[in-house]
Each structure stands twice: as structure tokens, then as C-alpha cells.
Amino acid sequence: MEAENSSVTEFILAGLTNQSGLQLPLFFLFLGFYVVTVVGNLGLITLIGLNSHLHTPMYFFLFNLSFIDCCYSTVITPKMLMSFVLRKNIISYAGCMTQLFFFLFFVVSESFILSAMAYDRYAAICNPLVYTATMSPQVCLLLLLGVYGMGFAGAMAHTACMVRLTFCGKNLVNHYMCDILPLLERSCTSTYVNELVVFVVVGIDIGVPTVTIFISYALILSSILRIHSTKGRSKAFSTCSSHIIAVSLFFGSGAFMYLKPSSLLPMNQGKVSSLFYTIVVPMLNPLIYSLRNKDVKVALKKTLRKKPFS
């Protein structure tokens, strides 16, 4: 990928902070976050793969959620860590556009995988008698293709619009990664089309999953309230609580970053906000779904008790 319309061949990522006293502590802090993210998500992927009783639609989607979290954390964090130890964290034009594409691909895919998980919970709680038919392997595969298809479409829309821009003059990007809004600040041509695409595409990528999740949980709540047994209600709520926490963290921080006018959200505050859905959420997801999930705990105990080569 060449910078055909641009005099800029590389960008300098400003990083999270320019305070020298914080660089080393932040490096080890985020390195720790990254290790926990990779180990946690790969551990959950391995656990689901090794235990046949977890081969259900719910854990099929959780498997893919962990894969997405691991991938998009890897797209961002290693380059971010370099900004804490290098005087200039340089990224080529092609490298920047590549990072932007894969970041958007995985973050949009995450929003739709969370909505697929909400639909799965709706099918399990509201229509348990036909759950197997509703969430058949074919349906799950089609939903997954839709998830990654929307991820690809969203990433292509933003990246194609970004490549059209001309970048000249200062090449310092006020962020720790190549994200849409800080890159638009560096353009010396009109960004009207890009801003329009941001509001439309991000509106769809947040709006459609959010509506799906709200409708699913409204129907789930209605169904739960009709359960007479306290134990039954408690069990139904417990199966949804982990997903509700993950959804709130992801969509809350994402909407706060992208759906507010830039005048109301300075870029330095935007960087802190984006930390939640780029660094913190991928780290917390495996912890949320394992610590609050009885099936995962049982599977972990079984796996740890297995003797190697037995």
C-alpha cells in the first residue's frame, strides 16, 4: 500500500503520555495487561476446545469472542508498548493503514459477536424446547459469517476512505495507535466524507447490535419474571450476568469515544476512553466469563486433573 495522495510516508505515534517518569511504570503495567489478555483468552479457547461438554452454541460464540479479543489486543498493544521505550515510535504509512484495518475488523466483529451471544441467550431462556433447532450448527455458522462479514465491511469502509485523504505537514499522530479520529486531524484535505462515514458506519456497528441486545434482554427479562421458582430465576439471571457486564463495558466506552463530537471530547480524554475497549475489555472478558461461569470452572478442574499422556 503506497501513500499515493500523500507526502507523508510514515507517522509518529505520540503514545499515551509524554511524562518521562510514567513511561517505565506504564510499560510494565500494560505489558502485564497484555500477558493476562493473551493467557486468559488462549486459555479459554483451549479449555473450550478440549472439553466436549462445552461444545454448545454459547461456548462456540465465546470461543470466537476470545479469538477476537486476543487478535485485536495483539494488533494494538505491542506497538503501544514501544512508545514507552522509544524516543520516536515510528510506523510506516502502510503499517498504519494495516493496523487501522485490522483494529476496525476485530472491534466491529466483537460488537456483532456480542449481539449473537445475546440472541443465543434469548433462544435458550425463552424457547428452551426448540433451542437445539433454533441454534443448530448451520445457524451458528451463518451468524458467525455475518459477524465477520460486518467486521470486514466496516473496516473496508473506514480504511478506503482514509486512504483517499492527503496527509502533509506534521506527521505526529496524537494517539498510541492508528485510529480514525487522530488520523483525520493530520489530513490537509477535507474530511467531511470520512466524518459522515464514521457517524453512519459506527452508528450501524453500535446501533444494530445494541438494539438486538436490548430486544433480546427485554424478552429474556419478561420470560424470567414468569418463572415462579426463585432457584429458576436465579439460574436464568446467572447465565446472562457475565454477558451483560461485557456488553456494558464494551459498548459504553466505544459509544463514548466515537459518538460524541470531538469538541466535547478532547483527544487526550479520548485516548483514556479508548483504553477501556482496546486494552481493558479484552483482558476482562475471559475473567468475567470464567470466574462467573460454573461450567468453565468445572471444565478447568477436569482439565487440570487430567494426567499428561494418560
Side-chain angles (χ1 to χ4, degrees), residues 113-175:
I113 200 81
L114 288 170
S115 65
M117 293 171 76
Y119 176 72
D120 171 70
R121 291 299 82 209
Y122 155 75
I125 293 171
C126 298
N127 299 294
L129 297 179
V130 293
Y131 175 69
T132 306
T134 305
M135 298 303 294
S136 65
Q138 292 82 1
V139 171
C140 290
L141 187 59
L142 284 173
L143 285 172
L144 190 66
L145 288 174
V147 165
Y148 289 123
M150 292 301 294
F152 180 79
M156 276 299 294
H158 289 299
T159 309
C161 286
M162 194 64 69
V163 171
R164 290 175 57 253
L165 296 178
T166 301
F167 298 97
C168 50
K170 292 182 179 179
N171 63 345
L172 180 66
V173 177
N174 186 20
H175 213 293

Side-chain angles (χ1 to χ4, degrees), residues 244-261:
I244 292 170
I245 294 169
V247 165
S248 301
L249 286 171
F250 180 78
F251 283 104
S253 56
F256 185 73
M257 175 68 184
Y258 287 102
L259 297 182
K260 268 194 170 187

Side-chain angles (χ1 to χ4, degrees), residues 31 66-67 113 127 144 156 165 181 190 196 215 285 300:
L31 177 62
S66 292
F67 170 75
I113 200 81
N127 299 294
L144 190 66
M156 276 299 294
L165 296 178
L181 301 182
S190 173
L196 188 63
I215 292 173
N285 276 346
L300 180 60

Side-chain angles (χ1 to χ4, degrees), residues 180-243:
I180 300 168
L181 301 182
L183 282 173
L184 293 182
E185 289 185 347
R186 298 273 64 87
S187 173
C188 49
T189 52
S190 173
T191 60
Y192 173 77
V193 173
N194 296 70
E195 290 169 10
L196 188 63
V197 169
V198 167
F199 277 102
V200 172
V201 177
V202 174
I204 292 170
D205 293 339
I206 290 180
V208 172
T210 301
V211 170
T212 304
I213 290 165
F214 269 112
I215 292 173
S216 296
Y217 276 106
L219 295 170
I220 287 170
L221 182 61
S222 173
S223 181
I224 288 174
L225 292 176
R226 289 198 297 268
I227 298 174
H228 299 295
S229 164
T230 306
K231 186 178 179 181
R233 285 186 183 182
S234 177
K235 184 179 179 181
F237 272 121
S238 67
T239 61
C240 300
S241 59
S242 299
H243 186 249

Side-chain angles (χ1 to χ4, degrees), residues 247-282:
V247 165
S248 301
L249 286 171
F250 180 78
F251 283 104
S253 56
F256 185 73
M257 175 68 184
Y258 287 102
L259 297 182
K260 268 194 170 187
S262 56
S263 59
L264 297 180
L265 185 67
M267 190 50 64
N268 287 334
Q269 291 181 30
K271 285 193 284 187
V272 175
S273 174
S274 65
L275 281 174
F276 282 94
Y277 67 89
T278 57
I279 307 293
V280 178
V281 170

Side-chain angles (χ1 to χ4, degrees), residues 44-89:
L44 202 51
I45 288 170
T46 305
L47 206 60
I48 293 169
L50 291 177
N51 290 270
S52 57
H53 77 279
L54 296 182
H55 294 174
T56 63
M58 175 182 172
Y59 293 103
F60 171 75
F61 292 121
L62 184 54
F63 180 99
N64 281 277
L65 177 66
S66 292
F67 170 75
I68 290 167
D69 280 339
C70 192
C71 287
Y72 95 75
S73 181
T74 300
V75 167
I76 297 160
T77 312
K79 193 64 182 171
M80 176 192 181
L81 291 173
M82 290 174 67
S83 67
F84 296 123
V85 294
L86 298 176
R87 287 189 65 186
K88 281 187 178 181
N89 189 14

